[in-house]
Amino acid sequence: MKRYSAFAVAREAMRYHAGWERAWTSPAPKSHYDVIVVGAGGHGLATAYYLGKRFGIRNVAVIEKGWLGGGNTGRNTTIIRSNYLQDPSAAIYEKSRSLYEDLSQDLNYNVMFSPRGVLMLAQTEHEVRGWKRTAHANALQGIPTEYIGPQRVKELCPIMNIDGPRYPVLGALWQPRGGTARHDAVAWGYARACSAMGMDILQQSEVTAIRQKAGQVTGVETTKGAITCGKLAIVVAGHSGVLADMAGFRLPIESVALQAMVSEPIKPVIDVVVMANTVHGYLSQSDKGELVIGGGADGFNNYTQRGSFHHIEETVRALCETFPIITRLKMLRQWGGIVDMTGDRSPILSKTPLGNCFINCGWGTGGFKAIPGSGWAMAELVARGEPGPLAAPFGLDRFREGRFIDESVAAGVAH
Amino acid sequence: MLLLTCPVCGVAADETELAPGGEAHLTRFGPGSDDATFESYLFHRKNPKGVHFERWRHAHGCGKWFHAARDTVTLEVFGTYSAQVTEPPRDILDRIAAKHPGFEWEGGA
Ligand SMILES: Cc1cc2nc3c(=O)[nH]c(=O)nc-3n(C[C@H](O)[C@H](O)[C@H](O)COP(=O)(O)OP(=O)(O)OC[C@H]3O[C@@H](n4cnc5c(N)ncnc54)[C@H](O)[C@@H]3O)c2cc1C
Ligand SMILES: [Zn+2]
């Protein structure tokens, strides 16, 4: 792999940019891998990357039915934060956020991490109390966040209307080192680094069956033929139920559509990320100038990657109230992703009833921010066969044992 | 926009009028059942990509619960039926089998 650098740009400028290589290879599948990861989203690719980097396991394939990063990783609103209420969540999300800080250097790929700060608005008394509680919890967890009043919110985000009409802004939870990153670049950066370690990323290959013998996984069948493996990691977000069905178990997960959209590009108007959970509106501005807008999820099982129309209306209504300046903007694109929801709105990193088969899922509406930390913890689980401290609380057994990591009461929505 | 006809009052309701109630035909296990069945009843869901049977409530209408058979990929509705039954009616199963040759109802979980 040739390194990207200012020098490389200058060198290529002198020779018509003819020297750039492909970022990753497109190999034919081998007949056997030590580890097969199903799903080349951010979480699957990061799992493979840290398997190689931390544990020296490089005979790895990442199998993807579409194109890499084409699932939720390429469809999300890229909000990164770690101001969660529960300790296990704070630990894994903060690990992840801190890995984002120098991910571009680590991968030699610009993921455009932008710690511009995240404001989570309090628009009801309930939220005021909730965010104050979270700020206290974060102080104990060592995560810098602050509860701030409405005037400070207005200073940080002048285009916001803090006076209502329906839900005046009463305050906000402010995480100054939260922000955004370029979603595609995160997938591409990990993919390039995996490929450079000799791993195979097999795109346009769908896993159609999981082979097992005496309770142990032995391989997978794909649209490109059968492949055997020592260990299997299922990292397919919205399709987790489908893969679990192939492996012969059920999950505490339901898949629903979540939508986002972007406006036409405009001059910079907002340099923070704003989340308004009560009214379901999420807003930030991309470097291209588009306003990136996220909204609510459907309430019923759905694999359509489209989402219901009335959610668009709700989200736009909420944002027009909060940001009157955007009322005349045109929307450019709208899309949906299939998110994997657990009852406690916390993820699953776990062994499964099938031997040597591991699963990473349940990130639902909020797993982009978790990609580096999740890959870090998942690699450890797959390599050692047992979870490390970050993954341990997120096992499947927590449902049976009633040890929920309840972020659903803490936030209602994730992101 | 998802449209379901409420079998109780006969109104063709759009989804803003309805409250989704999750997977249908679950067998309820309570105290006294073993851990695995209780866990399975409370948490494990089929979450199929394709034909699905669900509970819905006509929340902003007659207020009654009912059942719906739907395809989660195409959003096609195969029919709605009473909440008081433990399995889908024959005509709905036939309609599904016509679209998905070989489809058989696996029974409730
Ligand atoms: C609209 C929207 C907004 C969001 N906003 C945010 C946000 O602001 N902040 C945040 O932190 N999170 C956000 N999220 C959540 C975040 O996008 C996801 O949690 C995260 O991207 C999940 O990554 P993943 O790698 O697990 O899944 P994915 O990126 O979906 O990757 C899974 C891959 O598995 C593949 N696959 C499935 N089945 C098979 C098979 N049988 N064989 C082979 N491959 C298969 C899929 O094609 C897919 O590429 C949002 C999600 C959506 C949809
Ligand atoms: Zn009715």
Side-chain angles (χ1 to χ4, degrees):
Chain A
M1 180 180 89
K2 286 191 197 152
R3 284 184 65 79
Y4 294 151
S5 64
F7 173 73
V9 174
R11 185 190 63 217
E12 293 305 324
M14 308 303 282
R15 52 174 186 180
Y16 303 102
H17 294 280
W20 299 114
E21 350 173 275
R22 286 192 175 273
W24 50 79
T25 58
S26 302
K30 291 188 230 163
S31 60
H32 176 86
Y33 294 92
D34 294 341
V35 176
I36 287 179
V37 178
V38 189
H43 288 261
L45 291 164
T47 300
Y49 174 71
Y50 293 111
L51 271 173
K53 189 177 160 173
R54 294 181 63 205
F55 300 97
I57 301 174
R58 295 184 176 188
N59 183 18
V60 175
V62 187
I63 304 184
E64 166 58 50
K65 75 177 161 79
W67 66 96
L68 69 89
N72 295 347
T73 299
R75 294 165 183 269
N76 73 91
T77 49
T78 75
I79 300 175
I80 295 171
R81 62 185 181 89
S82 60
N83 52 355
Y84 284 74
L85 178 66
Q86 311 292 347
D87 291 349
S89 325
I92 195 164
Y93 286 107
E94 175 58 16
K95 173 73 188 173
S96 195
R97 199 207 57 77
S98 65
L99 286 169
Y100 264 121
E101 293 260 3
D102 60 359
L103 193 61
S104 296
Q105 289 76 11
D106 187 32
L107 297 177
N108 180 235
Y109 200 98
N110 187 2
V111 302
M112 296 164 71
F113 176 57
S114 162
R116 57 184 71 178
V118 174
L119 274 174
M120 292 173 77
L121 302 186
Q123 291 176 289
T124 61
E125 283 299 330
H126 170 84
E127 270 181 317
V128 172
R129 282 195 294 273
W131 294 154
K132 282 184 178 165
R133 182 183 175 205
T134 303
H136 291 308
N138 292 160
L140 292 171
Q141 292 149 351
I143 295 170
T145 64
E146 194 187 339
Y147 183 81
I148 59 176
Q151 285 315 318
R152 184 76 199 291
V153 173
K154 183 79 184 168
E155 278 163 38
L156 286 163
C157 183
I159 65 167
M160 196 187 305
N161 172 18
I162 59 169
D163 300 322
R166 274 195 306 166
Y167 291 104
V169 174
L170 306 173
L173 182 64
W174 170 235
Q175 181 170 26
R177 294 300 289 178
T180 60
R182 170 91 200 274
H183 49 13
D184 294 328
V186 173
W188 296 339
Y190 276 120
R192 174 167 168 267
C194 287
S195 187
M197 283 191 283
M199 297 177 178
D200 289 352
I201 302 167
L202 309 172
Q203 300 186 76
Q204 309 285 324
S205 316
E206 181 169 356
V207 171
T208 52
I210 295 176
R211 289 190 174 171
Q212 45 180 296
K213 201 173 167 188
Q216 302 285 316
V217 71
T218 58
V220 294
E221 283 168 34
T222 75
T223 46
K224 301 246 176 88
I227 310 174
T228 60
C229 65
K231 292 176 178 178
L232 183 70
I234 299 174
V235 198
V236 294
H239 283 75
S240 298
V242 178
L243 269 289
D245 192 43
M246 292 177 198
F249 55 90
R250 280 195 185 179
L251 291 168
I253 285 205
E254 305 217 57
S255 298
V256 301
L258 178 71
Q259 297 176 69
M261 59 202 135
V262 293
S263 74
E264 57 189 323
I266 52 171
K267 290 265 167 64
V269 291
I270 174 169
D271 63 357
V272 293
V273 178
V274 176
M275 305 176 61
N277 289 342
T278 293
V279 293
H280 277 314
Y282 311 91
L283 186 75
S284 65
Q285 190 168 17
S286 75
D287 292 359
K288 281 187 285 185
E290 299 167 339
L291 294 181
V292 181
I293 295 172
D298 287 353
F300 53 89
N301 296 46
N302 193 340
Y303 283 85
T304 58
Q305 290 190 330
R306 238 186 355 252
S308 296
F309 186 70
H310 66 96
H311 285 302
I312 303 177
E313 190 184 354
E314 277 160 25
T315 299
V316 168
R317 186 200 307 145
L319 290 174
C320 286
E321 276 176 26
T322 319
F323 304 96
I325 188 177
I326 73 170
T327 50
R328 292 209 233 151
L329 282 185
K330 295 184 183 74
M331 290 300 144
L332 272 192
R333 299 187 298 279
Q334 171 275 350
W335 63 90
I338 303 304
V339 294
D340 39 338
M341 308 297 281
T342 58
D344 60 1
R345 299 293 183 264
S346 284
I348 293 166
L349 291 104
S350 186
K351 299 199 259 189
T352 69
L354 180 61
N356 280 332
C357 172
F358 305 88
I359 194 157
N360 178 341
C361 61
W363 295 97
T365 61
F368 174 71
K369 62 177 73 63
I371 285 172
S374 155
W376 181 277
M378 185 68 182
E380 187 168 358
L381 172 61
V382 174
R384 300 217 170 104
E386 291 295 330
L390 284 178
F394 295 100
L396 272 170
D397 48 4
R398 77 172 186 270
F399 295 92
R400 177 177 305 187
E401 293 168 7
R403 282 186 294 103
F404 306 119
I405 303 166
D406 204 340
E407 294 294 345
S408 59
V409 288
V413 287
H415 281 86
Chain B
M1 178 83 53
L2 187 64
L3 290 173
L4 297 176
T5 303
C6 172
V8 184
C9 67
V11 166
D14 83 47
E15 59 180 280
T16 56
E17 217 174 296
L18 301 163
E23 186 173 329
H25 306 301
L26 296 176
T27 308
R28 271 145 227 276
F29 291 93
S33 57
D34 65 65
D35 282 0
T37 34
F38 192 48
E39 178 193 18
S40 171
Y41 158 58
L42 281 179
F43 301 110
H44 292 168
R45 293 296 176 261
K46 205 166 169 193
N47 195 18
K49 185 173 181 177
V51 179
H52 196 30
F53 301 92
E54 290 172 320
R55 305 176 72 229
W56 285 82
R57 197 168 79 86
H58 194 185
H60 300 288
C62 68
K64 295 285 193 274
W65 284 98
F66 63 93
H67 281 141
R70 227 173 31 88
D71 189 313
T72 61
V73 180
T74 60
L75 294 196
E76 177 176 4
V77 179
F78 299 110
T80 54
Y81 53 101
S82 160
Q84 264 95 38
V85 298
T86 51
E87 57 184 87
R90 194 68 252 166
D91 60 318
I92 289 182
L93 293 177
D94 289 344
R95 218 170 296 146
I96 296 170
K99 275 278 160 89
H100 297 266
F103 174 84
E104 271 176 53
W105 194 58
E106 292 170 3

Coordinates of all heavy atoms in Angstrom, one line a residue, chain B residues 25-43 45 108-109:
Chain B
H25 N -49.3 -14.0 17.5 CA -49.4 -15.4 17.7 C -48.2 -15.9 18.6 O -47.7 -17.0 18.4 CB -49.4 -16.2 16.4 CG -50.5 -15.7 15.5 ND1 -51.8 -15.8 15.9 CD2 -50.5 -15.2 14.3 CE1 -52.6 -15.3 14.9 NE2 -51.8 -14.9 13.9
L26 N -47.7 -15.1 19.6 CA -46.8 -15.5 20.5 C -47.5 -16.3 21.6 O -48.6 -15.9 22.0 CB -46.0 -14.4 21.2 CG -45.2 -13.5 20.3 CD1 -44.6 -12.3 21.1 CD2 -44.0 -14.3 19.7
T27 N -46.9 -17.4 22.1 CA -47.5 -18.1 23.2 C -47.0 -17.5 24.5 O -45.8 -17.3 24.6 CB -47.1 -19.6 23.2 OG1 -47.4 -20.1 21.9 CG2 -47.8 -20.4 24.2
R28 N -47.9 -17.1 25.3 CA -47.4 -16.4 26.6 C -46.9 -17.4 27.6 O -47.6 -18.4 27.9 CB -48.6 -15.6 27.2 CG -48.7 -14.3 26.6 CD -50.2 -13.8 26.5 NE -50.3 -13.2 25.1 CZ -50.0 -12.0 24.9 NH1 -49.7 -11.1 25.8 NH2 -50.2 -11.5 23.6
F29 N -45.7 -17.1 28.1 CA -45.2 -17.9 29.2 C -45.1 -17.0 30.4 O -44.6 -15.9 30.3 CB -43.9 -18.5 28.9 CG -44.0 -19.6 27.9 CD1 -43.8 -19.3 26.5 CD2 -44.3 -20.9 28.2 CE1 -43.9 -20.3 25.5 CE2 -44.4 -21.9 27.3 CZ -44.2 -21.6 25.9
G30 N -45.5 -17.4 31.6 CA -45.5 -16.6 32.8 C -44.6 -17.2 33.8 O -43.8 -18.0 33.6
P31 N -44.8 -16.7 35.1 CA -44.0 -17.3 36.2 C -44.3 -18.8 36.2 O -45.4 -19.2 35.9 CB -44.7 -16.6 37.4 CG -45.3 -15.4 36.9 CD -45.7 -15.7 35.5
G32 N -43.2 -19.5 36.6 CA -43.4 -21.0 36.6 C -42.8 -21.6 35.4 O -42.5 -22.8 35.4
S33 N -42.7 -20.9 34.3 CA -42.1 -21.5 33.1 C -40.6 -21.5 33.3 O -40.1 -20.7 34.1 CB -42.5 -20.7 31.9 OG -42.1 -19.4 32.0
D34 N -39.9 -22.3 32.5 CA -38.4 -22.2 32.7 C -37.8 -21.0 32.0 O -38.4 -20.3 31.2 CB -37.8 -23.5 32.2 CG -37.9 -23.7 30.7 OD1 -37.4 -22.9 29.9 OD2 -38.6 -24.6 30.2
D35 N -36.6 -20.7 32.4 CA -35.9 -19.5 32.0 C -35.9 -19.3 30.5 O -36.1 -18.2 30.0 CB -34.5 -19.4 32.5 CG -34.4 -19.0 34.0 OD1 -35.5 -18.8 34.6 OD2 -33.3 -19.0 34.5
A36 N -35.6 -20.4 29.8 CA -35.4 -20.3 28.4 C -36.7 -19.9 27.7 O -36.7 -19.0 26.8 CB -34.8 -21.6 27.8
T37 N -37.8 -20.5 28.1 CA -39.1 -20.2 27.4 C -39.5 -18.8 27.8 O -40.1 -18.1 26.9 CB -40.2 -21.2 27.8 OG1 -40.1 -21.6 29.1 CG2 -40.3 -22.3 26.8
F38 N -39.3 -18.4 29.0 CA -39.7 -17.1 29.4 C -38.9 -16.0 28.7 O -39.5 -15.0 28.2 CB -39.5 -16.9 31.0 CG -40.2 -15.7 31.5 CD1 -41.5 -15.4 31.2 CD2 -39.5 -14.9 32.4 CE1 -42.1 -14.3 31.8 CE2 -40.1 -13.7 33.0 CZ -41.4 -13.4 32.6
E39 N -37.6 -16.2 28.6 CA -36.8 -15.3 27.8 C -37.2 -15.2 26.4 O -37.3 -14.1 25.8 CB -35.3 -15.8 27.9 CG -34.4 -14.9 27.1 CD -33.0 -15.5 26.8 OE1 -32.9 -16.8 27.0 OE2 -32.1 -14.8 26.5
S40 N -37.5 -16.4 25.8 CA -37.9 -16.4 24.4 C -39.2 -15.7 24.2 O -39.3 -14.9 23.2 CB -38.0 -17.9 24.0 OG -38.5 -18.0 22.8
Y41 N -40.1 -15.9 25.1 CA -41.4 -15.2 25.0 C -41.2 -13.7 25.1 O -41.8 -12.9 24.3 CB -42.4 -15.7 26.0 CG -43.5 -14.7 26.3 CD1 -44.4 -14.3 25.3 CD2 -43.8 -14.2 27.6 CE1 -45.4 -13.3 25.6 CE2 -44.7 -13.3 27.9 CZ -45.6 -12.9 26.8 OH -46.5 -12.0 27.1
L42 N -40.4 -13.2 26.0 CA -40.3 -11.8 26.3 C -39.4 -11.1 25.2 O -39.8 -10.0 24.8 CB -39.6 -11.6 27.6 CG -40.4 -11.7 28.9 CD1 -39.6 -11.4 30.1 CD2 -41.6 -10.7 28.8
F43 N -38.4 -11.8 24.7 CA -37.4 -11.0 23.9 C -37.2 -11.6 22.5 O -37.0 -10.8 21.6 CB -36.1 -11.0 24.6 CG -36.1 -10.4 26.0 CD1 -35.9 -11.1 27.1 CD2 -36.3 -9.0 26.1 CE1 -36.0 -10.6 28.4 CE2 -36.4 -8.4 27.3 CZ -36.2 -9.2 28.5
R45 N -37.4 -12.6 18.8 CA -38.4 -12.3 17.8 C -37.9 -12.9 16.4 O -36.8 -13.0 16.2 CB -38.6 -10.8 17.7 CG -39.3 -10.2 18.9 CD -40.7 -10.7 19.1 NE -41.3 -10.2 20.3 CZ -41.4 -10.9 21.5 NH1 -40.9 -12.1 21.6 NH2 -42.0 -10.4 22.5
G108 N -47.3 -20.4 15.7 CA -46.8 -19.3 16.6 C -45.6 -19.7 17.3 O -45.3 -20.9 17.4
A109 N -44.9 -18.7 17.9 CA -43.6 -19.0 18.6 C -44.0 -19.4 20.1 O -45.0 -18.9 20.6 CB -42.7 -17.9 18.6

